[in-house]
Amino acid sequence: MYATRTLADYVSDCGPEHLTESVKEKTLCCMLDLVTAAIAGYDTPSAVAVRRVAGHLFGAGASPVWFSGQTLNSTGAAFCNAAAASALDLDDGHRAARGHPGAAIIPAALAIAGDITCPRDEIVMAIALGYEVGVRIAAAQNPNAIRSRQSGRWVGYGAAAAAGRLFGATPARLSQALAISGVLAPNQEANGSSGYSKLTGNDVKEGIPWSVAAGLTALHLAECGFTGPEDILDHASHFDTSSIVGHLGKPGKIEGTYFKPYSCCRYIHPAIDALSDLKTRHRVTHHEIAMIDVEIFAWALQLGNRVDPENLTDIQYSLPYCLAIAALEGSQTLAPINVNLLDRPDLANFARKVGLSVDGEIDRRFPAETLARVTIVSNTGERFVSPVTTPRGDVGRPMHWTDIRDKFLEITAAKMSEKRQVMLLDGFEQFRHGYTAPLLARLAQPLA
């Protein structure tokens, strides 16, 4: 049997007995965290551009474009919501996948839930299964054949799986949808740390929104009889098929999701946390810092790492500049970043003090862990060295519901009134207790 068909059978057959309380809780955390990221990214130029063109590209419908007061069909709404959620690199991620499942799978599932009536546990199950399928496929990629590690290469599988579960697609149709989605996914070969283009400060980034559109379109095409190569995952040259289909049981991959307190690439987070801890512990001000040495894994050196960023995306992929922000303004300024951090000679000058090198042990532990060691050298030559640091929000240093709620309150304070914050959180609490309509309705209401 083809791997796509095995996955489709699994998605279709997974029963409520497979949905554990820990998966329910993690899924709720993922949903609130993703909505927080979408609010933060709502006004970014990239998200605004996507909303401007979506009405022309996609048909009318009842699915809300979050916080806009507008509706589109489910594919168009998911496209827009994924664009806002992924705009500032504040969305969740998964170490095994080395990418961002939530920004695709949650908008896809909630867009479908806006079209049809779905029980709470069915929505939760669909999201958890979307993570399961997407993460398994991403982790199984052979990097010698699939050079791009960008999320857009694989999140469409997860979006199609989640939507297919809610639609009640037959395994045969869902298998075709997975195959079609895999072929039509954006190739992302130019972009990202593994891409051949050096102009990484652009809005394409990980290609998540278009992969969502491709995944949902693939599902609709499959329902109409369109076909794809169902053996797409069955070639050892490209995938470790056994790891994709092996030990399919309770959908637990979502429990490995990490959350991000800062809106920048996850590769940068351990250095931010290590620097912030050193500054606090030794009471070092940025005026006293002559140099910062960062020992990290090799992939972090492949980021753009510009000391003079031209746009918000450049900031998201610059370890030296983000450390300069943390040193001069405090790490909370990275939650989220904004245009006031651009054209700052003081930050650019400080970023030039940051040196990067690869530590062999830290590199060997990547990608299972993203670690860093930071050394501050003072103007007097004194050295302050951090331990090897795990970033906050990782599974080994987790953020729980109260942490995610606090992140929501802090980041959205500048975007919505306290009353609207309370109403949205109440929607999540009602969702927790089985009532889906209030949350979906509040996501549809304008921010203002």
Side-chain angles (χ1 to χ4, degrees), residues 282-343:
H282 299 287
R283 299 182 180 180
V284 181
T285 69
H286 69 271
H287 300 291
E288 300 172 285
I289 298 176
M291 185 171 61
I292 296 176
D293 290 326
V294 180
E295 297 169 87
I296 202 162
F297 43 91
W299 272 88
L301 274 61
Q302 297 186 43
L303 299 176
N305 289 326
R306 292 192 58 172
V307 298
D308 55 348
E310 295 182 357
N311 51 58
L312 292 179
T313 305
D314 276 341
I315 294 178
Q316 293 168 42
Y317 295 108
S318 175
L319 197 159
Y321 202 81
C322 286
L323 287 194
I325 294 169
L328 272 68
E329 303 288 347
S331 58
Q332 74 282 354
T333 309
L334 291 157
I337 56 175
N338 59 62
V339 294
N340 295 330
L341 296 171
L342 296 169
D343 300 318

Side-chain angles (χ1 to χ4, degrees), residues 331-403:
S331 58
Q332 74 282 354
T333 309
L334 291 157
I337 56 175
N338 59 62
V339 294
N340 295 330
L341 296 171
L342 296 169
D343 300 318
R344 289 278 301 272
D346 57 335
L347 293 175
N349 289 334
F350 192 94
R352 294 184 178 93
K353 298 180 180 182
V354 179
L356 308 178
S357 63
V358 176
D359 176 272
E361 178 58 25
I362 288 174
D363 194 49
R364 280 188 290 274
R365 293 166 68 176
F366 177 85
E369 298 174 273
T370 51
L371 308 170
R373 181 189 296 110
V374 170
T375 300
I376 294 176
V377 181
S378 74
N379 294 326
T380 62
E382 193 171 5
R383 298 171 66 86
F384 306 102
V385 184
S386 78
V388 173
T389 301
T390 296
R392 188 159 59 95
D394 261 19
V395 174
R397 195 179 172 188
M399 293 170 67
H400 301 293
W401 174 257
T402 54
D403 303 302

Side-chain angles (χ1 to χ4, degrees), residues 50-51 53-61 71-80 209-210 212-214 216-217 220:
V50 167
R51 289 197 297 276
V53 304
H56 300 288
L57 295 177
F58 302 98
T71 60
L72 290 170
N73 68 17
S74 54
T75 303
F79 180 59
C80 292
W210 197 253
V212 173
L216 294 182
T217 299
H220 292 300

Side-chain angles (χ1 to χ4, degrees), residues 37 39 43 102 113 115 119 131 134 151 177 196 278 298 308 324 365 407 410 413 426:
I39 294 170
D43 289 326
D115 272 354
Y131 275 70
S151 303
Y196 61 79
L278 282 178
D308 55 348
R365 293 166 68 176
K407 174 183 171 180
E410 292 166 8
D426 177 70

Side-chain angles (χ1 to χ4, degrees), residues 181-228:
S181 176
V183 174
L184 298 185
N187 65 50
Q188 294 296 118
E189 289 183 1
N191 232 30
S193 55
S194 58
Y196 61 79
S197 173
K198 302 305 178 186
L199 301 177
T200 56
N202 60 72
D203 293 331
V204 175
K205 294 175 64 181
E206 300 249 356
I208 291 172
W210 197 253
S211 191
V212 173
L216 294 182
T217 299
L219 185 62
H220 292 300
L221 287 170
E223 288 293 322
C224 292
F226 198 86
T227 63

Side-chain angles (χ1 to χ4, degrees), residues 19-21 23-28 31 105 109-110 118-131 162 165-166 251 254 431-432 436:
L19 194 58
T20 65
E21 290 302 318
V23 165
K24 290 180 184 180
E25 181 64 21
K26 188 71 174 192
T27 303
L28 198 66
M31 291 171 63
I105 293 160
L110 294 187
C118 302
R120 190 279 309 268
D121 280 359
E122 190 61 15
I123 296 172
V124 171
M125 177 66 86
I127 291 171
L129 288 169
Y131 275 70
R165 170 71 184 211
L166 292 176
I254 194 170
F431 186 89
R432 181 190 293 276
T436 62

